[in-house]
Amino acid sequence: MSTRRDWPLWEVFVRARRGLSHVHAGSLHAPDAEMALRNARDLYTRRGEGVSIWVVKASDIEASTPDERDPFFDPAADKIYRHPTFYDVPEGVQHL
Amino acid sequence: MEGVYGNDFGTDQQPDPDRAAPDEAAFAALLAGEGRVEPRDDMPEAYRKTLIRQIAQHAHSEIIGMQPEGNWISRAPSLRRKAILMAKVQDEAGHGLYLYAAAETLGVDRADLVDQLHSGRQKYSSIFNYPTLTWADVGAIGWLVDGAAITNQVPLCRCSYGPYARAMVRVCKEESFHQRQGFEILYTLSHGTPEQKAMAQDAVNRYWWPSLMMFGPPDDDSPNSARSMAWGIKRFSNDDLRQRFVDMTVPQSEALGLGLPDPEIRWNDERGHYDYGEIDFTELFEVIKGNGPCNAERMAHKRRAYDEGAWVRTAAEAYAAKRARATESVA
Amino acid sequence: MDTALFEYTGGLADDALVSAQRMGWWISRAPELEEDVALANIGLDQLGQARNLLTYAGEIEGEGRSEDDLAYLRDERYFRNVKLVERPMTDFGVAMARLLTFATYQLHLYRTLATGDLGERDETLAAIAAKAVKEVAYHVDHATHWVLRLGDGTEESHTRMQSALDAEWPYLEELFGPLDPVLTGRVADRSALRDAVLSDVRRVVTEATLSVPEVPPALGGGRDGLHTEHLGYLLAEMQHLHRSHPGAKW
């Protein structure tokens, strides 16, 4: 359906400051990884929003699908013993 | 009709027949819980198409909106103003890109959306079909046009479609300086020489009514609004947002010392709002049809830039392909 | 007044200002939207450098002229920029050829001003340059990536990039004019940057499968206010509104 091809789509992840993880910021088009990184710098950090950038070709991302949502995520929901609040701690006990 | 900058598109807005999505009930439940819709969720086809059209029109508006203000970058009257204006027009390119990225999560290619803009099948906000004749127009656009856009956009930060809402959060955060710089330009002019003040008043006179039209036709004439509201794409009606804008703007005009070209503007105690005169929408529809003062120039500028850049885009692709082959043969 | 330092600083300022004016034209006209954003960033950097340098030039002069007085109220004979930056720049190949050469020159220049071996360094210029050196390093990087892609992309882009380089090349020589001896040890001697700048540029040109142009240098004169006819039009556009309202604030 496309009469013109676009440069490939890249997903951009930005680390806002040291100590934080890279977080998805958005996407952009670029001919290759080097240019994608530079375009990401100009587009997503022009107000000083970042100290580090990752770019990933969108087509290289493998994502879970909504169809798989139940088998993927529901089984984790009933394992309440993984959370600290599951356990009774006698009153007065600290640092536990 | 729905929209942002996009409210005023009167054409090509027939709703698609709702093709039942696989899990319509789940979608309704998701919306009812104020949950966000995310890209891979099942969604009714009409929801998807409405969003694509709205986000694309919003993106196109940002991109075409670079031109009227870009028109003054080379002539900005001080270096400080030149820097601000360059940064602002750059932001508009950035905002267009955030929005195209949001649209692409719905399974369309930016290239196709840009094609549709170039061929006239998708529209952009009619406000950008007016010329910027004087420096004061840069101020009026910042104060009135960006002011109207922000009024429209703030509720969209809570839009039901996650990627669009997130893009709008970013846009709104960055746009807060746009309206202020416009106000500041007009304030400086209206407190400057008589010629400067006249320039400011003239710009406000020309941009006031088109700014009110940015909110789209009156609610009675806006058949798709109800559906967009049910879908959480739109949160307030055209007239409500327009009123909000008028209420916000009238006191600001007094602070500027500039009049608004509507003798019927007065505070209505009973309603708790400013009354204003009737909007003549015939002009809006003429501009949408392509008969505005700058429709042809805006599209020609955009197409020319795209066509003249073709050799560059192709070259970059060819280089990337060469490099990929070289890497493969080494491996 | 320290005339030599005023002239020197004015040259740096006008190079940056006129470049920014040409770069501003590209915003909304780049080959792709991402590039609109990139070129705007570069133009903004150049404009920021120009403003700092003009303000300093005004201080050196000591007659109370502001950045705007200097930018808007001087005629072309008083502009001190090189011809390289004032010529039209409406082809993307030309834009990248010029950015590569000019930014590489600025990188060496600013680096020397900031941290080079100078006995009596001018501290204000050093501070302005220290900030600018990071900016122009990015400009060099951006231009390098494009020259590589256009030089080694398609047959058409190779041809266009080569003619762009050929067109810019004669104007490089003017960048490396002699230093006024009274400034020795205080500021960067631009004639001493010649080999390093040209060798950096040549490396990129060669890697891009392009040939280093062998053309005679164009006559200089920009530093003495002898410009091409293009500068008058550039300034007419830039200055017209400001001059139409004498004394007005904006």
Side-chain angles (χ1 to χ4, degrees):
Chain A
M1 129 173 196
S2 188
T3 50
R4 295 174 177 135
R5 281 172 315 140
D6 227 328
W7 289 337
L9 185 68
W10 302 77
E11 298 296 334
V12 179
F13 300 81
V14 176
R15 184 200 295 286
R17 54 171 199 273
R18 300 181 68 84
L20 298 179
S21 299
H22 287 76
V23 173
H24 185 238
S27 62
L28 50 75
H29 288 268
D32 53 51
E34 285 179 326
M35 293 307 282
L37 204 52
R38 282 155 183 84
N39 291 345
R41 177 260 193 191
D42 287 324
L43 183 58
Y44 287 103
T45 67
R46 63 188 190 284
R47 283 176 169 76
E49 298 96 328
V51 296
S52 165
I53 301 174
W54 293 344
V55 290
V56 186
K57 215 180 219 175
S59 58
D60 285 344
I61 292 180
E62 192 67 26
S64 63
T65 67
D67 293 346
E68 295 164 332
R69 189 167 55 198
D70 291 353
F72 260 61
F73 304 113
D74 279 4
D78 66 352
K79 308 219 174 23
I80 47 176
Y81 43 81
R82 288 196 200 272
H83 300 276
T85 48
F86 177 73
Y87 301 94
D88 292 325
V89 178
E91 218 161 302
V93 176
Q94 292 181 349
H95 310 298
L96 188 71
Chain B
M1 290 185 202
E2 55 272 325
V4 190
Y5 273 129
N7 273 3
D8 61 7
F9 306 110
T11 54
D12 190 26
Q13 293 258 337
Q14 293 315 306
D16 307 291
D18 275 6
R19 269 182 284 155
D23 203 351
E24 188 109 26
F27 186 73
L30 192 69
L31 288 178
E34 284 287 301
R36 286 286 169 84
V37 181
E38 292 295 343
R40 294 170 147 233
D41 288 336
D42 279 335
M43 58 186 89
E45 188 57 13
Y47 175 85
R48 195 178 77 89
K49 288 203 161 158
T50 299
L51 271 173
I52 291 174
R53 194 178 50 221
Q54 177 172 331
I55 301 172
Q57 286 174 343
H58 191 171
H60 300 331
S61 299
E62 295 281 359
I63 299 306
I64 298 295
M66 296 168 72
Q67 292 179 37
E69 290 174 283
N71 184 35
W72 280 91
I73 289 176
S74 66
R75 294 175 290 168
S78 74
L79 296 184
R80 173 174 173 268
R81 291 286 174 208
K82 191 190 287 287
I84 293 169
L85 189 57
M86 280 171 80
K88 183 179 183 239
V89 178
Q90 181 198 39
D91 270 353
E92 278 149 19
H95 297 169
L97 284 169
Y98 303 157
L99 287 158
Y100 283 126
E104 287 190 296
T105 65
L106 291 158
V108 286
D109 288 338
R110 186 169 94 190
D112 290 324
L113 300 177
V114 171
D115 265 349
Q116 293 190 48
L117 170 67
H118 290 175
S119 65
R121 276 171 294 154
Q122 283 182 346
K123 305 284 184 187
Y124 54 89
S125 180
S126 300
I127 194 79
F128 301 120
N129 287 320
Y130 290 90
T132 48
L133 301 175
T134 71
W135 169 251
D137 290 16
V138 175
I141 288 181
W143 179 47
L144 295 173
V145 175
D146 291 334
I150 291 168
T151 308
N152 263 329
Q153 285 168 354
V154 167
L156 282 170
C157 297
R158 294 185 293 118
C159 157
S160 62
Y161 189 59
Y164 191 22
R166 289 191 286 276
M168 291 317 302
V169 169
R170 211 181 170 96
V171 169
C172 286
K173 216 187 273 177
E174 297 185 354
E175 275 209 350
S176 49
F177 102 78
H178 293 186
Q179 198 191 6
R180 277 194 191 189
Q181 65 88 37
F183 185 89
E184 193 191 78
I185 287 174
L186 291 178
Y187 190 88
T188 309
L189 293 176
S190 82
H191 293 77
T193 65
E195 291 80 11
Q196 284 178 306
K197 181 160 187 176
M199 190 193 286
Q201 185 63 62
D202 169 61
V204 169
N205 290 350
R206 282 182 287 114
Y207 273 93
W208 172 251
W209 290 107
S211 299
L212 290 189
M213 293 181 208
M214 286 174 66
F215 294 91
D219 294 344
D220 308 343
D221 271 344
S222 191
N224 296 343
S225 271
R227 194 180 58 164
S228 275
M229 284 170 89
W231 275 338
I233 297 175
K234 193 175 168 72
R235 297 281 178 188
F236 302 98
S237 77
N238 294 352
D239 286 333
D240 285 351
L241 290 167
R242 187 165 16 239
Q243 182 70 59
R244 190 178 292 185
F245 173 70
V246 171
D247 289 348
M248 179 180 87
T249 308
V250 173
Q252 290 173 0
S253 73
E254 287 159 8
L256 283 173
L258 295 173
L260 295 172
D262 177 359
E264 291 179 48
I265 289 181
R266 66 178 59 83
W267 178 253
N268 182 325
D269 237 350
E270 216 168 291
R271 292 202 309 128
H273 290 290
Y274 284 95
D275 289 338
Y276 54 94
E278 198 175 330
I279 300 169
D280 177 8
F281 280 102
T282 47
E283 176 179 315
L284 174 70
F285 290 117
E286 278 305 300
V287 180
I288 289 174
K289 271 191 268 170
N291 304 326
C294 298
N295 298 54
E297 285 89 339
R298 300 290 184 241
M299 288 312 300
H301 178 119
K302 178 74 177 73
R303 284 197 208 103
R304 195 185 317 119
Y306 195 82
D307 293 344
E308 287 180 1
W311 70 279
V312 175
R313 294 191 300 275
T314 312
E317 244 171 285
Y319 178 85
K322 271 188 213 175
R323 293 292 291 259
R325 278 198 300 275
T327 317
E328 261 168 42
S329 65
V330 171
Chain C
M1 177 184 46
D2 188 339
T3 309
L5 189 62
F6 175 73
E7 293 282 325
Y8 183 91
T9 306
L12 266 50
D14 291 344
D15 283 352
L17 177 62
V18 172
S19 292
Q21 183 75 1
R22 289 286 182 217
M23 200 55 86
W25 180 87
W26 276 97
I27 307 172
S28 82
R29 292 182 176 91
E32 192 48 284
L33 293 170
E34 281 83 355
E35 191 63 16
D36 274 313
V37 179
L39 296 180
N41 265 352
I42 292 170
L44 277 169
D45 287 343
Q46 294 174 334
L47 182 57
Q49 293 159 23
R51 294 181 63 189
N52 288 333
L53 290 162
L54 284 173
T55 301
Y56 183 46
E59 285 165 17
I60 298 167
E61 188 189 38
E63 289 176 19
R65 285 205 284 178
S66 68
E67 59 176 39
D68 284 342
D69 294 336
L70 289 168
Y72 290 95
L73 300 176
R74 280 180 300 155
D75 287 329
E76 57 191 286
R77 287 284 283 112
Y78 295 89
F79 269 73
R80 294 290 176 254
N81 59 281
V82 288
K83 294 178 184 176
L84 176 72
V85 295
E86 73 196 28
R87 293 148 44 254
M89 193 177 81
T90 57
D91 173 273
F92 190 72
V94 169
M96 290 303 109
R98 188 172 307 172
L99 186 64
L100 176 70
T101 52
F102 179 61
T104 303
Y105 152 79
Q106 281 187 310
L107 181 62
H108 286 274
L109 171 78
Y110 288 146
R111 207 182 267 155
T112 308
L113 284 169
T115 57
D117 183 18
L118 298 172
E120 302 161 74
R121 179 188 318 282
D122 184 283
E123 291 302 337
T124 309
L125 279 181
I128 294 171
K131 177 173 178 294
V133 80
K134 295 177 211 159
E135 296 168 353
V136 297
Y138 191 80
H139 304 175
V140 171
D141 174 88
H142 189 82
T144 299
H145 278 92
W146 271 119
V147 171
L148 291 176
R149 277 155 187 76
L150 297 178
D152 196 12
T154 63
E155 221 169 285
E156 186 195 0
S157 72
H158 180 88
T159 310
R160 291 181 70 153
M161 193 64 233
Q162 186 66 57
S163 17
L165 268 181
D166 293 350
E168 297 309 290
W169 209 264
Y171 294 92
L172 297 191
E173 204 51 46
E174 193 184 0
L175 291 167
F176 312 113
L179 184 70
D180 187 325
V182 302
L183 294 175
T184 306
R186 297 165 62 195
V187 300
D189 176 358
R190 291 178 288 211
S191 65
L193 305 176
R194 190 174 183 280
D195 291 348
V197 171
L198 290 181
S199 116
D200 280 3
V201 174
R202 274 198 209 103
R203 198 177 323 117
V204 177
V205 169
T206 310
E207 197 191 331
T209 72
L210 297 160
S211 16
V212 175
E214 285 180 30
V215 286
L219 280 181
R223 301 281 185 224
D224 299 316
L226 298 169
H227 294 280
T228 66
E229 290 175 350
H230 302 292
L231 184 66
Y233 290 94
L234 181 144
L235 295 180
E237 187 175 342
M238 185 176 90
Q239 298 178 336
H240 137 262
L241 175 61
H242 185 98
R243 290 195 182 211
S244 301
H245 299 262
K249 299 258 179 301
W250 299 96

